[in-house]
Amino acid sequence: MKDDFNEFKPRSILYGDRFRDLDYRESYYTCTQHDSKMYDFDGRVVAGPRGIQPLISAEKSPIYIPLKMRRPAAPVRMGKIIVDSFTNILFGENRFPTIKIEGDELSQDFAQTIARIGRLPMQMIRARNLGGSTGSVGLSWCFHQGVPRFEVHNSKNLYIHSWVDRVLMTPKHVTEVYMFYKVKWDGKQFNKSYYWFRRDWTPDGDFIFKDVLYEKDKDPYWEIDEERSNRHGDGIVHFEWIQNLPTDEIDGLPDYEGLFDQFDQLDILNSVVTRGAILNLDPTLKLKMDPEQISRMGIRKGSDNALIVGLNGDASYLELTGGSITAGNELLAAMRRTILETAQCIVPDPSEVAAQGVSSDAIKTM
């Protein structure tokens, strides 16, 4: 058994094209699709990981940075909006499928109790969000210490060795593998140590392996953790493979398939419009004066200071025209409508709904 399990090499999953593709899809839901960009929207180098602001003293890049290579300052997050909207339609407030068994109230009550104790509605919402963003998702079930448990698994970390029925997407042997880190104190400082995690589902049982320390260019040797594993011998796999939008491949399609470029352009456009509007609130002072005179006297702005420009001088604020911002907002709204139409997603505007006096039943329907 151990030798069979050790024939599997996990690097083929985490460094493969399928993992990168699914991770790319998911990034538009987790709002991390721009994190790899080195420059902020002003052209300054972003110091540190996501969430760390650029250095205050950092200067703009001396070369022109294309807008597509900059991290948007005001992303719209349309991917998350679309997925959450579809999830809310399926599993919203007071909307979850009721388990019914005709003619057997006792079994029906038992099944409903399992769903309630195992928190199935919450897990299905998570599964729907994950599947809607990547195209597929895994769902497992078991009894842990006598309590029902449902777990959601990211498809990018899953590998299906064999199928019971490929057409019906019924797996026979599934492996989940990923890397995680533990923070340890070495007496001087905290250090991160990375480990491999692996879990297998087979007709014989649910096997969890002991954590293996990550070593560069070396495949882990797997040992089953018998204390955490469950050899049930049911003859069926306690695992379900679910496609979002079905395809001939094992992975389905996400809710926003084909809209990745439009998402990026929408983020850039909204950032440009927002940046222009912000700069317009702090306009540039325009002086018609001799530069040498300005350098000698200096410039002091504000209502408490008088600006002396001389008889032939002039001063005014250079502001952006409101027309450019209006045109940008109109283009932004048009792109947003096009994206939602392509995804066949309806997101009603709360202000328009309130202005039209739409009933509560109609709002729920929308």
Side-chain angles (χ1 to χ4, degrees):
M1 181 67 74
K2 292 184 179 180
D3 293 336
D4 293 338
F5 281 131
N6 277 285
E7 292 178 358
F8 175 73
K9 308 300 180 184
R11 295 175 184 274
S12 59
I13 291 184
L14 300 188
Y15 301 120
D17 293 336
R18 176 177 174 269
F19 179 92
R20 287 192 290 268
D21 182 38
L22 296 179
D23 187 63
Y24 175 75
R25 297 180 185 181
E26 186 186 7
S27 66
Y28 283 86
Y29 179 76
T30 57
C31 307
T32 58
Q33 71 270 29
H34 302 296
D35 286 2
S36 61
K37 298 178 180 178
M38 297 176 54
Y39 298 91
D40 67 9
F41 209 69
D42 291 326
R44 296 183 176 89
V45 175
V46 178
R50 182 176 185 236
I52 303 299
Q53 295 299 320
L55 300 175
I56 297 178
S57 60
E59 295 293 334
K60 294 183 179 180
S61 173
I63 61 175
Y64 175 73
I65 306 299
L67 293 179
K68 196 167 185 179
M69 296 177 62
R70 305 183 192 181
R71 187 178 298 183
V76 183
R77 311 302 193 194
M78 281 302 298
K80 181 173 176 56
I81 292 173
I82 291 173
V83 172
D84 287 345
S85 296
F86 285 135
T87 299
N88 291 335
I89 292 174
L90 186 61
F91 302 124
E93 183 179 1
N94 298 325
R95 283 198 307 277
F96 189 81
T98 301
I99 301 175
K100 292 186 176 181
I101 302 176
E102 297 293 340
D104 192 343
E105 295 184 359
L106 186 61
S107 297
Q108 176 177 301
D109 181 67
F110 177 72
Q112 292 177 352
T113 302
I114 287 179
R116 176 175 56 83
I117 296 179
R119 296 185 294 180
L120 182 60
M122 182 186 69
Q123 296 297 338
M124 291 304 297
I125 290 175
R126 181 167 176 258
R128 163 66 198 122
N129 288 335
L130 195 55
S133 61
T134 63
S136 54
V137 67
L139 186 67
S140 68
W141 57 273
C142 67
F143 284 87
H144 180 71
Q145 296 180 352
V147 179
R149 174 181 292 182
F150 302 96
E151 296 182 58
V152 179
H153 308 275
N154 197 322
S155 58
K156 69 182 181 182
N157 300 323
L158 299 173
Y159 176 75
I160 301 179
H161 298 265
S162 58
W163 299 87
V164 174
D165 192 322
R166 174 64 174 77
V167 176
L168 298 179
M169 293 292 173
T170 306
K172 182 178 182 180
H173 181 191
V174 183
T175 291
E176 179 183 36
V177 62
Y178 57 84
M179 283 196 300
F180 68 99
Y181 67 86
K182 297 179 182 179
V183 179
K184 295 184 177 180
W185 176 257
D186 62 3
K188 296 181 179 180
Q189 61 182 0
F190 287 101
N191 294 315
K192 288 183 179 179
S193 297
Y194 285 86
Y195 292 83
W196 291 100
F197 173 87
R198 179 180 175 181
R199 184 176 180 180
D200 278 39
W201 291 267
T202 72
D204 296 326
D206 178 0
F207 300 98
I208 299 178
F209 295 79
K210 296 179 180 179
D211 300 335
V212 182
L213 181 66
Y214 170 79
E215 297 181 62
K216 187 178 180 181
D217 299 328
K218 184 178 180 181
D219 290 312
Y221 181 78
W222 304 109
E223 293 184 55
I224 297 176
D225 189 338
E226 296 293 349
E227 293 183 359
R228 295 192 295 166
S229 300
N230 177 27
R231 298 178 181 271
H232 52 70
D234 291 345
I236 61 173
V237 180
H238 296 181
F239 192 95
E240 299 293 333
W241 183 263
I242 306 171
Q243 287 187 329
N244 181 48
L245 299 176
T247 64
D248 292 335
E249 304 296 330
I250 63 170
D251 296 304
L253 298 177
D255 296 334
Y256 39 68
E257 175 65 22
L259 293 172
F260 304 109
D261 291 336
Q262 288 90 323
F263 288 164
D264 292 341
Q265 293 299 322
L266 190 69
D267 290 345
I268 292 173
L269 176 60
N270 193 51
S271 298
V272 170
V273 173
T274 301
R275 183 170 180 265
I278 292 175
L279 293 176
N280 202 34
L281 297 176
D282 184 22
T284 302
L285 184 62
K286 178 183 177 182
L287 296 174
K288 293 182 179 179
M289 297 175 60
D290 186 355
E292 294 185 1
Q293 181 181 0
I294 296 176
S295 62
R296 289 196 305 269
M297 62 180 291
I299 300 295
R300 292 182 298 174
K301 297 191 298 180
S303 59
D304 296 333
N305 298 291
L307 188 63
I308 303 174
V309 297
L311 296 177
N312 298 323
D314 186 22
S316 62
Y317 277 107
L318 183 63
E319 299 184 73
L320 298 175
T321 61
S324 61
I325 297 178
T326 301
N329 285 327
E330 292 178 353
L331 179 58
L332 187 69
M335 289 182 62
R336 188 176 184 273
R337 286 195 302 269
T338 301
I339 290 174
L340 292 176
E341 288 175 0
T342 304
Q344 299 183 4
C345 178
I346 299 176
V347 182
D349 189 337
S351 59
E352 294 182 1
V353 172
Q356 296 176 3
V358 180
S359 65
S360 60
D361 292 337
I363 292 176
K364 290 181 179 179
T365 302
M366 294 172 65

